[in-house]
Amino acid sequence: MRDIILLKLGEIVLKGLNRRSFEQKLMGNVRRRLLGLGNFRVSCLQSTVYVEPLDDEADLDAAFAAMQDVFGIVKISRAAACEKEKEAIARLAIAYLREDMLRAKSFKVESKRSDKSFPLTSIQLSQYVGGELAEAYPNCAVDVHEPELTVNVEIRDLAAYVHAAPVDGAGGLPVGSNGIAVSLLSGGIDSPVSTYMIARRGVRLIPVHFFSFPYTSQQAKEKVIELGKLLTAYCGNMTLEVVPFTHIQEEIRDKCPEEYFTLIMRRFMMRIAEEIARYNGGKAIVTGENLGQVASQTMEAMASTQAVTTLPVLQPLIGMDKEEIVRMARKIGTFETSILPYEDCCTVFTPRHPRTHPKLEDVEAAEAALAVDALVQEALQGREQIRL
Ligand code: ATP
Ligand code: MG
């Protein structure tokens, strides 16, 4: 008999009519995440997804770790299995929950039966197992109203299962349940975090990177590919769009006033991102901007950047402090890659005195010497798609 993993669904249950399709999305994402870890059966019952190993090759520890990255799950528990007999269940609970029971001051047992042929009712089973546990652990009293520890017993078709305190899941909504967006992915600390945060809201993402070879090196591109790969643990499979940005930057350098370099460059990023979104049914552009962090992240600068697109620009980091962003980057595992020292295209032609409070009409005038549409089309045509 094999242990199983139970996944408690989060907000999905609030979605009423869509609930079924949310569950299907989540189960699809769970199955994809389990590929390569062995044979599992994934099923859903009463807002709980069950992950059951089907043979000894199935790596339950790896599956348990992988499930902690899947959005749409709030709690994850590992449940131990035994025969469907009350004595066996009580014995298992006493042994398996030893540490939890020794630590807690009070507990209760909650039972569920999906196998209705089991001879005891849920209440009878809870009372029996509760009685045996209370006897084995006199330190821990039964409290059915506000127990410190809840012991769960489930009678399913293959076996009976016992589990206690779950660990936290990644929360959010299942990727793919909330539309598609383009995410601007630089090699920095911020944009992997913003990508993660929007994926967590159920959005499937298309990462886009602007690449200024030879001003930025091949290694800078490899770093972005690596960041994209790290993000697939959360975002699912993605295709990175690498857009050649060198010609645009050279044109800006040659034909525009220096103090507007960064702003004009960012307007090109938005225009190109919008086109890529349209090809792919994307409905928003995600960036890692953070209010006041750099010259191009004042309200006026962002207004002039966003003026070129009608898509909503989602900036999940806008109100965070740098330390909070760094903490998140560490948590999701992108920080160490982000701090590798390769330059980004933004740093290549950085103006000495950037405009921090630009007027839109001045930015437009500064850009007037450029063949904007032709440059956008040229960049789009030259883009490279990399399956992550
Ligand atoms: P990050 O740490 O994400 O690089 P940042 O603090 O360096 O952000 P900026 O350089 O102003 O800020 O960039 C703001 C946002 O623009 C980034 O978070 C990212 O979403 C996008 N961006 C910047 N450079 C690129 C690039 N080369 N390719 C794709 N997106 C980019
Ligand atoms: Mg950057």
Side-chain angles (χ1 to χ4, degrees):
M1 241 161 280
R2 300 182 177 92
D3 290 5
I4 63 170
I5 298 169
L6 307 179
L7 311 173
K8 201 87 202 133
L9 306 198
E11 294 170 58
I12 316 179
V13 293
L14 300 176
K15 294 279 170 176
L17 280 182
N18 286 328
R19 174 169 159 183
R20 197 67 204 134
S21 80
F22 273 58
E23 288 173 354
Q24 293 300 333
K25 275 266 172 354
L26 181 77
M27 287 197 286
N29 294 347
V30 164
R31 289 194 184 100
R32 254 190 303 282
R33 199 69 179 77
L34 292 169
L35 288 176
L37 303 179
N39 283 318
F40 291 91
R41 179 165 71 198
V42 178
S43 56
C44 184
L45 190 76
Q46 297 171 354
S47 305
T48 302
V49 168
Y50 295 83
V51 177
E52 304 178 50
L54 294 177
D55 55 36
D56 290 332
E57 249 115 87
D59 186 342
L60 203 68
D61 291 336
F64 191 79
M67 291 305 104
Q68 293 173 38
D69 297 337
V70 177
F71 295 133
I73 297 168
V74 282
K75 296 282 178 197
I76 306 171
S77 30
R78 186 174 170 141
C82 69
E83 289 97 80
K84 294 191 264 185
E85 289 164 4
K86 64 175 188 180
E87 292 83 5
I89 295 168
R91 269 201 308 277
L92 176 66
I94 290 168
Y96 187 64
L97 303 175
R98 187 181 151 76
E99 275 169 32
D100 292 325
M101 288 297 297
L102 286 175
R103 211 179 306 129
K105 299 259 174 308
S106 62
F107 81 104
K108 74 168 175 184
V109 177
E110 254 178 27
S111 304
K112 245 201 244 174
R113 304 180 312 159
S114 58
D115 171 5
K116 301 291 180 198
S117 70
F118 189 75
L120 300 186
T121 65
S122 301
I123 293 174
Q124 288 169 331
L125 180 59
S126 296
Q127 282 170 346
Y128 175 75
V129 176
E132 296 293 301
L133 277 169
E135 203 169 298
Y137 298 101
N139 61 295
C140 195
V142 175
D143 177 350
V144 291
H145 301 296
E146 271 185 66
E148 203 178 307
L149 176 70
T150 299
V151 172
N152 294 281
V153 176
E154 291 204 37
I155 311 293
R156 292 175 57 76
D157 48 353
L158 292 179
Y161 299 93
V162 171
H163 59 101
V167 303
D168 286 340
L173 303 169
V175 169
S177 67
N178 214 359
I180 300 171
V182 159
S183 185
L184 302 194
L185 189 61
S186 69
I189 294 169
D190 301 336
S191 48
V193 177
S194 51
T195 305
Y196 171 93
M197 285 177 74
I198 296 300
R200 191 162 114 120
R201 296 314 300 162
V203 179
R204 178 163 295 290
L205 291 165
I206 302 162
V208 175
H209 179 66
F210 297 93
F211 183 48
S212 301
F213 192 77
Y215 299 104
T216 59
S217 64
Q218 198 60 34
Q219 286 151 307
K221 177 168 137 189
E222 294 301 327
K223 170 178 163 183
V224 174
I225 295 173
E226 179 57 28
L227 286 169
K229 284 189 178 151
L230 292 170
L231 287 167
T232 60
Y234 313 100
C235 303
N237 293 338
M238 297 191 289
T239 299
L240 172 69
E241 303 260 4
V242 179
V243 178
F245 212 48
T246 313
H247 189 205
I248 289 173
Q249 288 197 295
E250 288 173 342
E251 283 285 295
I252 297 171
R253 179 195 61 195
D254 295 345
K255 298 183 179 161
C256 302
E258 183 184 315
E259 64 264 39
Y260 292 103
F261 279 1
T262 309
L263 289 173
I264 296 173
M265 186 187 78
R266 299 197 56 71
R267 282 158 63 87
F268 274 94
M269 289 186 181
M270 289 295 159
R271 292 183 180 107
I272 293 167
E274 176 169 298
E275 289 298 315
I276 294 175
R278 297 216 187 283
Y279 292 135
N280 293 285
K283 297 286 187 274
I285 300 171
V286 181
T287 72
E289 279 158 315
N290 178 239
L291 193 58
Q293 196 187 84
V294 290
S296 61
Q297 296 176 7
T298 64
M299 290 182 277
E300 294 89 337
M302 288 189 287
S304 75
T305 304
Q306 291 173 24
V308 298
T309 177
T310 55
L311 292 179
V313 179
L314 308 182
Q315 306 170 315
L317 312 188
I318 199 70
M320 289 169 76
D321 282 349
K322 193 73 190 183
E323 298 89 276
E324 296 175 278
I325 300 172
V326 165
R327 210 179 308 134
M328 254 190 111
R330 286 189 195 280
K331 195 186 95 185
I332 67 174
T334 53
F335 183 76
E336 296 301 326
T337 306
S338 287
I339 58 171
L340 294 174
Y342 313 117
E343 64 300 319
D344 180 58
C345 71
C346 293
T347 52
V348 178
F349 301 108
T350 308
R352 282 159 295 180
H353 304 290
R355 270 303 153 102
T356 47
H357 301 286
K359 287 207 188 77
L360 180 57
E361 56 267 32
D362 294 340
V363 182
E364 286 168 347
E367 196 181 71
L370 301 177
V372 170
D373 291 345
L375 285 167
V376 167
Q377 287 311 317
E378 179 191 310
L380 284 167
Q381 247 124 58
R383 72 192 199 277
E384 180 193 359
Q385 292 170 327
I386 299 172
R387 191 103 185 109
L388 296 173

